[in-house]
Amino acid sequence: MEDTEGSGRRRASIACQPCRMRKIRCDSTRPECSNCQRREEQCEYDPAPKRRGPDKRLGTRQRSSKPRGRSGGSEDDGPRMKLELLNPLLLPAAPQRHSPLRISTNEAVLLGPSLQYQPTPTHFVPRPYDFEQDAHPKFPPPPPTVHSAQQGWWDAFLQSYPLPQIVADLNFLFSEMASLSFVNARLLLDTLWNPTKYLTLQPAFILASMALAVLIRSSEAERGTSGRDCAAFLRDSAQNALDRAWREGVWLDVSLVEAALILVVYESSAHPDYHPSRLLQAFRVLDHALSTLGLMSFDAGQPNVCRYVSGTTPLADAPAPASSCRCIPPGSPHALPWDNPSWSAHEIRDEECRRVCWSALSLVTSFRVECWAFSRLDECDKLRMCDPASYLLMFPNELYERRRLDADGADLKNSVPALYGRGMLLTNFTANAIARGGESEEERETMVQALQEAWQETQAIQDALDAHECNLHTATAQLVGENVVNTQMMITKGLRSLQGLPATDPLFNRQQPKEWKYYPTDIIKRVAMSISYFSDPRAQQLIHRPFSVTWFHSQLAICLFLWENDRTLGDVLQVAKALAIPLDVMNALWPCQFIQTEYGQLRSRLEANCKSAGQDPPPAKSDMLPLQPVVSA
């Protein structure tokens, strides 16, 4: 506060726009405050103080002579009480579940549960990013007709969720989850810090991201029930905003597809409302979004893009793998595509469009493997995103590799990311064939031939993967290997069904289970280490992974499926018992009635199989380590 010259009155110092956005103290020095000088940012002041509420017009506030107590509120206290509801510091720590609230871009307020705001440390430092929002046709700027609605929505949302908390939560989310690598985190956070740029972000995208960010930190070891309630409210709000955006059709961009994809990740996670039918519906919404914006055929005009015919085996027409891969040797500088200085803003957006599609295919592929493992009805064959013929798209990082190797693209179909994409297309083709079957003898013979070609393609993918000795993309390489074995088992089951083989025939050759068990066993070892340090930050791999519960769940189902088809596979039963340990812990961390009911049935089958095989049963649930709160950074 400072005296006004020539009067005894005092006036409030007016903070500059950057300091006001960061909610930090501003010394109001003109023309640049000390904070902006230190950050080397442009310091701007409003030409006149911005007043809100009763003080918007000077001298019009009707002040009450009533005491300012918290009790005994009257009708005159209504506006003040509404503002208190918008203040996250005054919201209850454990809100009750609320019915879905319709949130749209033209609503002035956002009412609903919020976690008590506590500033979360973030190491992100805003850096200038030379990027024009309207530089890409798939990312058009918001039309002028929605500007006021956007401003109103953001003003209301920031009252419930302060900007520093949004930045910290989304920074944590997109740095924690590799499956969300389609988001350029640096660009997103830079946009959020800018008071004009964040108006270009779709509410559905922000709400969906916040819902998942809150959920992954709401296990029983962290925010618990109140966090999961808040995440559910944000998720319902995101769906309402997404539905409204598509219905009105005024402003459509790729971030709406990203919002739909993030909601799929949410629905694939263990949470109180989880159910496969909800997840299937989320995939339908995502499929509609991908198709409406034409993202799956984004590279239709590019040379050497794989083209597939509907109903036929998706063969990549890739050359035989070389004796050694052409990947960058370990230890060499390897610029990630998002940070590659040679890429233009337009090319970064191009890559974002591609990554959205491949991320969507990865999620639906995992879901279909889960349906196969539990013998559930698979209705995904009706989705366009599950038809290989829909894809006219370069593989992730392919453009970067083309320039690095000065190649035409044909020999880049054997890169690890490309092998992952090829494998997922093959898995979905196989699942489509199994789901549709064949009515006539001719149709069945055609499908048998197609599945045999698919088997040969899985072997070609495995051979190309074996040629990679670079030790790069190790996580993706593991996914490729796991996907190949899963697809081979699905092919075998499909061939037996189409050929009418009796149920007593062996389902798999013995090599398939041996290859399959390698992948869950390696992950189980790492998870076991996390459980050993459960009260330590190293356990975050387990604590922040509600989306991994369904993977462990389906792996146990596959184990029992293999064992019950071949009782000589004793090692598979050992893997099943090892899987039960992290599942017991994760089910305690992430309460979900549907998953826990199914898991109880699987565990009973496991115990019965152990007894019939003369093996010790899995450890009792009571032997699980006690849950202790973990304080996250």
Side-chain angles (χ1 to χ4, degrees):
M1 304 284 286
E2 61 182 9
D3 288 337
T4 303
E5 184 178 358
S7 73
R9 300 180 60 186
R10 300 167 68 86
R11 64 177 174 84
S13 299
I14 301 174
C16 68
Q17 292 178 1
C19 289
R20 194 162 62 245
M21 288 304 304
R22 291 183 172 82
K23 292 181 171 56
I24 59 177
R25 184 180 298 276
C26 179
D27 58 18
S28 299
T29 303
R30 310 270 181 144
E32 286 185 315
C33 73
S34 59
N35 293 332
C36 291
Q37 287 178 344
R38 186 173 63 256
R39 291 189 177 88
E40 297 182 353
E41 291 182 344
Q42 183 176 359
C43 187
E44 295 182 352
Y45 290 88
D46 294 327
K50 288 188 176 180
R51 302 178 183 270
R52 296 179 181 175
D55 276 340
K56 189 169 184 179
R57 295 176 61 188
L58 293 177
T60 60
R61 176 188 289 268
Q62 299 296 321
R63 302 188 182 274
S64 173
S65 59
K66 296 180 180 181
R68 300 171 63 95
R70 294 294 302 273
S71 61
S74 66
E75 291 181 0
D76 293 337
D77 293 326
R80 181 176 62 83
M81 295 177 69
K82 179 177 285 189
L83 289 176
E84 289 180 354
L85 286 174
L86 284 168
N87 186 346
L89 288 170
L90 301 178
L91 289 172
Q96 300 297 316
R97 285 298 301 273
H98 289 248
S99 58
L101 177 67
R102 189 168 180 266
I103 301 296
S104 67
T105 57
N106 64 357
E107 289 176 346
V109 295
L110 176 67
L111 298 176
S114 170
L115 293 174
Q116 182 174 351
Y117 170 58
Q118 295 178 348
T120 302
T122 173
H123 300 294
F124 172 74
V125 177
R127 290 186 293 169
Y129 205 112
D130 187 13
F131 202 105
E132 292 296 330
Q133 180 70 18
D134 59 351
H136 198 283
K138 298 295 184 183
F139 291 87
T145 54
V146 304
H147 281 177
S148 61
Q150 277 287 90
Q151 186 67 65
W153 184 88
W154 272 101
D155 287 346
F157 190 68
L158 290 175
Q159 292 183 61
S160 289
Y161 298 90
L163 186 60
Q165 185 66 20
I166 298 173
V167 171
D169 282 350
L170 298 195
N171 186 32
F172 179 83
L173 173 69
F174 293 115
S175 61
E176 181 80 5
M177 296 186 60
S179 60
L180 301 182
S181 61
F182 56 85
V183 173
N184 186 329
R186 177 186 164 194
L187 171 61
L188 172 62
L189 300 180
D190 179 65
T191 302
L192 281 169
W193 278 124
N194 190 300
T196 57
K197 282 186 178 180
Y198 69 51
L199 297 179
T200 65
L201 297 172
Q202 293 270 8
F205 173 79
I206 295 298
L207 288 165
S209 301
M210 286 293 291
L212 187 57
V214 172
L215 177 65
I216 66 175
R217 305 183 79 170
S218 296
S219 72
E220 288 296 285
E222 289 191 274
R223 296 173 177 174
T225 302
S226 63
R228 293 191 292 273
D229 286 346
C230 181
F233 176 83
L234 287 165
R235 184 261 166 225
D236 292 340
S237 300
Q239 188 64 60
N240 290 335
L242 186 62
D243 292 343
R244 185 184 181 104
W246 288 115
R247 185 169 61 251
E248 294 181 346
V250 176
W251 177 27
L252 303 179
D253 68 358
V254 173
S255 69
L256 291 177
V257 183
E258 295 172 341
L261 198 155
I262 292 169
L263 290 178
V264 166
V265 177
Y266 184 102
E267 293 299 345
S268 67
S269 303
H271 61 90
D273 296 324
Y274 170 84
H275 195 277
S277 61
R278 284 175 59 106
L279 181 52
L280 178 60
Q281 179 57 30
F283 276 120
R284 288 171 176 156
V285 173
L286 175 59
D287 188 64
H288 167 76
L290 287 166
S291 302
T292 301
L293 292 185
L295 293 187
M296 291 178 287
S297 57
F298 182 77
D299 289 320
Q302 292 285 347
N304 293 314
V305 171
C306 293
R307 287 172 165 79
Y308 311 106
V309 178
S310 184
T312 64
T313 309
L315 305 177
D317 193 25
S323 57
S324 61
C325 66
R326 300 174 66 187
C327 299
I328 300 175
S332 301
H334 185 212
L336 296 176
W338 287 151
D339 299 321
N340 191 332
S342 67
W343 281 34
S344 67
H346 198 283
E347 289 170 331
I348 291 175
R349 287 303 199 190
D350 286 351
E351 181 69 11
E352 189 171 348
C353 293
R354 298 182 188 104
R355 290 192 185 192
V356 167
C357 296
W358 293 116
S359 296
L361 184 61
S362 175
L363 290 169
V364 77
T365 301
S366 297
F367 177 65
R368 304 192 78 179
V369 170
E370 182 182 333
C371 290
W372 170 76
F374 285 96
S375 298
R376 296 176 188 153
L377 179 64
D378 180 1
E379 300 182 62
C380 292
D381 62 298
K382 302 177 182 64
L383 301 178
R384 287 193 61 191
M385 62 190 294
C386 293
D387 184 1
S390 300
Y391 290 83
L392 291 168
L393 200 65
M394 283 194 283
F395 295 110
N397 297 1
E398 184 174 340
L399 178 62
Y400 171 71
E401 293 296 316
R402 284 189 186 188
R403 293 184 176 177
R404 183 179 69 83
L405 299 173
D406 193 23
D408 60 4
D411 59 344
L412 297 177
K413 310 306 180 188
N414 288 328
S415 70
V416 174
L419 293 175
Y420 186 40
R422 288 169 56 186
M424 291 189 296
L425 293 171
L426 205 60
T427 304
N428 280 275
F429 168 77
T430 302
N432 291 344
I434 294 174
R436 296 168 185 171
E439 296 182 359
S440 66
E441 183 66 26
E442 182 179 358
E443 288 175 337
R444 286 193 292 271
E445 289 181 359
T446 301
M447 196 58 65
V448 166
Q449 182 178 358
L451 289 178
Q452 290 173 341
E453 290 179 345
W455 179 276
Q456 294 174 353
E457 180 70 359
T458 61
Q459 291 180 318
I461 292 174
Q462 186 62 58
D463 290 342
L465 182 64
D466 293 340
H468 282 274
E469 300 175 350
C470 55
N471 201 31
L472 293 174
H473 309 293
T474 53
T476 304
Q478 187 169 26
L479 290 173
V480 174
E482 178 186 341
N483 196 60
V484 164
V485 179
N486 286 338
T487 305
Q488 288 179 338
M489 292 193 291
M490 294 172 68
I491 291 172
T492 305
K493 183 180 180 181
L495 287 172
R496 189 180 75 164
S497 175
L498 288 169
Q499 293 173 336
L501 297 177
T504 54
D505 281 9
L507 182 56
F508 308 114
N509 63 54
R510 293 188 60 82
Q511 188 62 26
Q512 286 174 331
K514 290 180 179 179
E515 293 175 348
W516 172 85
K517 71 179 183 180
Y518 163 78
Y519 299 103
T521 300
D522 182 63
I523 294 175
I524 291 169
K525 290 178 180 178
R526 284 182 276 139
V527 171
M529 184 177 298
S530 293
I531 296 175
S532 300
Y533 297 103
F534 192 75
S535 59
D536 188 282
R538 282 171 285 187
Q540 288 187 3
Q541 178 182 349
L542 194 65
I543 295 172
H544 296 145
R545 295 291 191 274
F547 45 86
S548 295
V549 178
T550 50
W551 182 86
F552 281 96
H553 198 211
S554 62
Q555 297 306 295
L556 178 57
I558 293 175
C559 276
L560 296 177
F561 182 70
L562 292 172
W563 165 260
E564 290 166 358
N565 278 274
D566 188 347
R567 302 265 174 171
T568 66
L569 300 173
D571 290 346
V572 169
L573 207 55
Q574 294 296 327
V575 174
K577 289 193 291 184
L579 282 165
I581 297 174
L583 273 170
D584 286 338
V585 176
M586 298 184 87
N587 277 315
L589 283 170
W590 303 100
C592 174
Q593 183 176 357
F594 180 88
I595 293 177
Q596 289 176 347
T597 299
E598 273 199 338
Y599 172 62
Q601 298 169 353
L602 291 177
R603 209 177 198 285
S604 297
R605 285 170 56 191
L606 174 59
E607 291 170 353
N609 286 329
C610 288
K611 183 177 180 180
S612 66
Q615 295 187 18
D616 293 332
K621 294 182 182 180
S622 59
D623 295 338
M624 183 186 63
L625 291 175
L627 299 180
Q628 301 177 20
V630 174
V631 179
S632 301

